[in-house]
Amino acid sequence: MRQETGILTVAAIRRPKGGRATEYLFNEKERIFALKPAARGFDASSKLLREALQKKVPVKAVLDTRRAIIQRVQPPLPQELSEFERVRTLLDEPDKIVRVDVSSIDPTTFNIVDRYLKWRCFRRCTRIVPNYKTAKKIFDFCAKQSCNLPGPYNISPCIPFQYVRDGCYARAHKMRRIITTKYHYCCEKVFSFANNDSDRLAVMANKWGGCCVTWWYHVAPLIRVRLRRIAVLSLVIDPSMFDKPVLLSTWLAAQENTTCDPNANVSMYSIQPGSAYTPANYSGTAFTTDPSYTATDATLIAYKNLVTCP
């Protein structure tokens, strides 16, 4: 068992069909958690989580990250709540969120920026990646910072790509810093959501042992890349899932692995400015930021020795 304690906001409480346990979703965690009925203090924890969702207030939760179980919940101490509210800054003017049917996407058109992908956040930065070779160079540099490799690393802390179960928000934010400060190119974030009924994002972690991993949201850096002077395409940098930059449509499709979960479905997706960090609500219409990278680095350090598939 591995314990993790944090101040968290409840995004949603879902009661799936088919006798599955009630699902507790936190904005600060992509993973889906359950509260065991046999756990000590179950009734009190369940009530506190419901009230936190209704009143939109944070809770202090102790999580078993190996089994995705909430062990106990309590109100934050006054100083903990004050610090949480002090550092929790929301993104100004978040971009739209779009419902999507991934199975109906035409990859020959969907990924073309400005013609089919028209997002307001693209106007904030115009220095796009000039070719695929450069995009692959960026990807390879990020991938070499993986904590499962022996190092030495070019950055600190290393990025735990080998732990896919949670922490995508921190991995994405660290890569965003690399892309914008080392390579000086635009970097947006793409968020995928499973926020309709019992939808879940489900992937096969083929790079890390082949086990199945599920989330309620996922995020990765998105770069715009010019190819052969013909078009600008949207490519996603996600070394936790792939060995090269992939088209946005490919990235979305990989999260609908019904072999892993019959409810695997991307309900919505959204492209946001690179400063977006985690969702701030279940609908995906608000986002937090981490301008100092303090939360980012703390999460990377906490997950650096963890693995995806036991």
Side-chain angles (χ1 to χ4, degrees):
M1 179 179 69
R2 185 183 184 280
Q3 283 191 351
E4 180 179 331
T5 302
I7 309 299
L8 307 172
T9 54
V10 184
I13 299 174
R14 307 195 304 195
R15 295 169 178 81
K17 299 176 183 178
R20 289 175 111 171
T22 299
E23 298 175 345
Y24 294 89
L25 281 54
F26 299 106
N27 292 306
E28 297 78 12
K29 299 289 177 187
E30 64 186 298
R31 202 169 182 187
I32 299 170
F33 288 86
L35 182 63
K36 292 190 70 173
R40 185 174 61 181
F42 170 82
D43 291 336
S45 292
S46 179
K47 180 181 179 182
L48 190 55
L49 287 165
R50 292 195 305 270
E51 291 177 348
L53 176 62
Q54 182 180 11
K55 298 178 181 178
K56 294 181 172 56
V57 296
V59 296
K60 185 176 183 178
V62 179
L63 309 174
D64 177 347
T65 57
R66 186 177 66 84
R67 298 182 297 164
I69 296 294
I70 303 168
Q71 291 191 306
R72 61 181 179 274
V73 181
Q74 61 192 61
L77 297 173
Q79 59 267 34
E80 293 173 328
L81 180 58
S82 176
E83 177 63 14
F84 178 82
E85 293 175 342
R86 185 185 69 81
V87 301
R88 191 174 192 260
T89 305
L90 295 181
L91 178 71
D92 290 333
E93 299 182 358
D95 219 314
K96 61 187 176 182
I97 187 165
V98 177
R99 289 190 176 274
V100 64
D101 179 2
V102 173
S103 64
S104 68
I105 287 177
D106 180 354
T108 64
T109 58
F110 177 81
N111 303 285
I112 302 177
V113 175
D114 293 335
R115 188 176 303 174
Y116 296 95
L117 282 179
K118 298 180 180 180
W119 293 81
R120 187 181 63 216
C121 61
F122 288 163
R123 303 173 194 165
R124 302 186 183 187
C125 179
T126 58
R127 194 164 192 274
I128 63 173
V129 179
N131 50 55
Y132 180 81
K133 181 179 179 180
T134 304
K136 183 64 162 57
K137 182 179 179 180
I138 292 171
F139 181 98
D140 290 344
F141 180 88
C142 291
K144 287 179 181 177
Q145 313 312 312
S146 183
C147 296
N148 68 301
L149 299 177
Y153 309 110
N154 301 96
I155 63 169
S156 180
C158 57
I159 307 175
F161 293 116
Q162 81 288 345
Y163 185 61
V164 184
R165 296 193 180 277
D166 214 319
C168 65
Y169 37 89
R171 298 193 302 268
H173 211 47
K174 196 71 170 181
M175 287 189 284
R176 177 252 187 167
R177 189 173 200 176
I178 291 170
I179 295 166
T180 57
T181 62
K182 177 177 173 60
Y183 293 99
H184 306 288
Y185 291 116
C186 306
C187 177
E188 286 77 38
K189 301 270 188 67
V190 56
F191 288 80
S192 53
F193 292 93
N195 55 358
N196 184 49
D197 296 330
S198 297
D199 285 354
R200 301 160 80 89
L201 305 178
V203 301
M204 185 79 74
N206 291 322
K207 291 184 65 175
W208 315 111
C211 58
C212 291
V213 177
T214 57
W215 311 302
W216 81 269
Y217 75 88
H218 189 48
V219 57
L222 181 140
I223 56 175
R224 288 165 281 155
V225 182
R226 186 171 299 281
L227 296 184
R228 301 188 190 93
R229 299 182 181 179
I230 298 173
V232 175
L233 299 183
S234 60
L235 295 183
V236 180
I237 306 293
D238 195 347
S240 69
M241 293 174 59
F242 299 97
D243 293 320
K244 60 184 179 181
V246 297
L247 293 169
L248 173 58
S249 59
T250 302
W251 185 78
L252 292 170
Q255 299 171 58
E256 289 195 347
N257 193 316
T258 53
T259 301
C260 287
D261 194 296
N263 293 317
N265 185 60
V266 179
S267 314
M268 304 176 181
Y269 84 101
S270 183
I271 298 174
Q272 296 292 332
S275 54
Y277 187 57
T278 69
N281 59 24
Y282 186 56
S283 61
T285 58
F287 297 85
T288 65
T289 64
D290 184 27
S292 67
Y293 291 84
T294 302
T296 298
D297 288 351
T299 299
L300 298 180
I301 292 169
Y303 292 165
K304 68 177 182 178
N305 295 320
L306 301 187
V307 297
T308 297
C309 304

